[in-house]
Every structure is written in C-alpha cells, then in structure tokens.
C-alpha cells in the first residue's frame, strides 16, 4: 500500500474549507467517503464505497455517492482510475506517487513504482523540450492467478 502524504484530519479540514467555498452544507457522507478511501488498501468502485457507507448510514443512495465522488474528484481530494473491465475506481489523492497494473480478467489492481520508468518519462519530455507535469502509467495484464485458470480450462 502506498504511503499517505497527509493525515486524515488535515484532509477533512481542507474538505470543510472547500465545502464552505462552494457554498455547500456540511454532510457526514462526504467525510465518510473520504475516510473510507483513506483507510482502504485498494481502489474502490462507487458500489463498494456505497456498501461501506451503508454500514453506518443505511439510507445512503448510490446516486448521492456518485454526486459526492464527482465533487471530491473536481476538488482533487480523490483520483479516478479507468480499469477497463471493472470500471471506474477511486483512490485518495494524498498518496505517494505510484503506477498501476490492472488485470483484464479479474480486475485486480496492483501498485508499483519503477525509478527507471519514472526517470525515462522525464527524459523523454525534456528531449522534446517539455517539462513533465504528470503521467498516467497503466499496465493491462492477465495476472498469474488468471493465467492458471485459463490453462486449467484448456487441459
Ligand atoms: Zn509513475
Ligand atoms: Zn493506486
């Protein structure tokens, strides 16, 4: 799991400021979604987030979860990961930089950092006279577990 770059309290403090700035009312659900994503090890789908929130507040609707996720993404508290098969997934933005390996069969997501890839990307941008601002590196794979199940089907 990538290290968190900020404490949960400090993120919630910034959230309250941004809610005020946007003229919104405080809602427990926004804070709950932030803490679910902060504490979770993996990248969650909106349905999984709704499930977690419903443990405390049974009345939570999937549409309000979608609405809150859009707001939190716009305000850069969370980031999305397009995963192909398992749809859009979310993670907290205050994580150390990492890239993703995504299994096209089972949807499993792994995080990795490779310093030579990181350096190479900066180099390519520089060689093109550019300054690298960010990048999105996703490897789409068939993971080792899924390779085994395909093989056993064939035999
Ligand atoms: Zn990277
Ligand atoms: Zn990630």
């Amino acid at each position: 799991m990538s290290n968190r770059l900020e404490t949960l309290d400090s993120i919630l403090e910034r959230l309250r400021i941004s809610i005020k700035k946007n003229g919104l009312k405080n809602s427990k659900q926004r804070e709950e979604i932030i803490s679910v994503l902060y504490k979770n090890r993996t990248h969650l789908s909106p349905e999984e987030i709704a499930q977690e929130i419903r443990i405390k507040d049974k009345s939570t609707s999937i549409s309000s979860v979608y609405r809150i996720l859009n707001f939190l993404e716009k305000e850069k508290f969370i980031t999305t990961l397009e995963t192909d098969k398992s749809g859009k997934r979310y993670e907290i933005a205050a994580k150390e930089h990492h890239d993703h390996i995504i299994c096209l069969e089972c949807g499993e997501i792994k995080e990795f950092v490779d310093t030579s890839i990181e350096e190479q990307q900066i180099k390519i941008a520089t060689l093109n006279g550019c300054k690298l601002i960010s990048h999105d590196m996703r490897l789409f794979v068939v993971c080792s577990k899924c390779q085994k199940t395909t093989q056993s089907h064939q035999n």
Side-chain angles (χ1 to χ4, degrees), residues 101-105 139-143:
I101 301 175
I102 300 163
C103 177
L104 290 173
E105 298 288 329
L139 304 182
F140 292 100
V141 302
V142 179
C143 74

Side-chain angles (χ1 to χ4, degrees), residues 59-119:
S59 67
T60 310
S61 72
I62 188 74
S63 62
S64 68
V65 169
Y66 275 115
R67 209 169 344 103
I68 292 171
L69 288 172
N70 283 337
F71 169 78
L72 294 176
E73 190 191 355
K74 181 177 76 69
E75 294 290 304
K76 299 192 164 59
F77 287 102
I78 60 175
T79 57
T80 50
L81 182 65
E82 250 348 303
T83 64
D84 199 67
K85 208 173 183 180
S86 54
K88 245 190 188 184
R89 295 187 161 255
Y90 292 85
E91 65 183 320
I92 199 86
K95 274 166 107 174
E96 232 162 29
H97 173 73
H98 61 274
D99 296 302
H100 295 102
I101 301 175
I102 300 163
C103 177
L104 290 173
E105 298 288 329
C106 68
E108 191 200 27
I109 301 165
K110 279 188 184 160
E111 301 184 343
F112 76 96
V113 179
D114 182 306
T115 40
S116 64
I117 291 177
E118 297 296 321
E119 282 162 12

Side-chain angles (χ1 to χ4, degrees), residues 4 33-40 44 49 78 90 92:
R4 306 304 189 243
I33 289 182
I34 293 259
S35 18
V36 163
L37 287 172
Y38 189 87
K39 288 169 189 158
N40 219 284
L44 298 176
I49 294 167
I78 60 175
Y90 292 85
I92 199 86

Side-chain angles (χ1 to χ4, degrees), residues 105 145-155:
E105 298 288 329
K145 250 184 289 155
C146 292
Q147 285 177 49
K148 273 175 210 146
T149 44
T150 349
Q151 269 162 14
S152 60
H153 282 307
Q154 282 165 351
N155 293 338

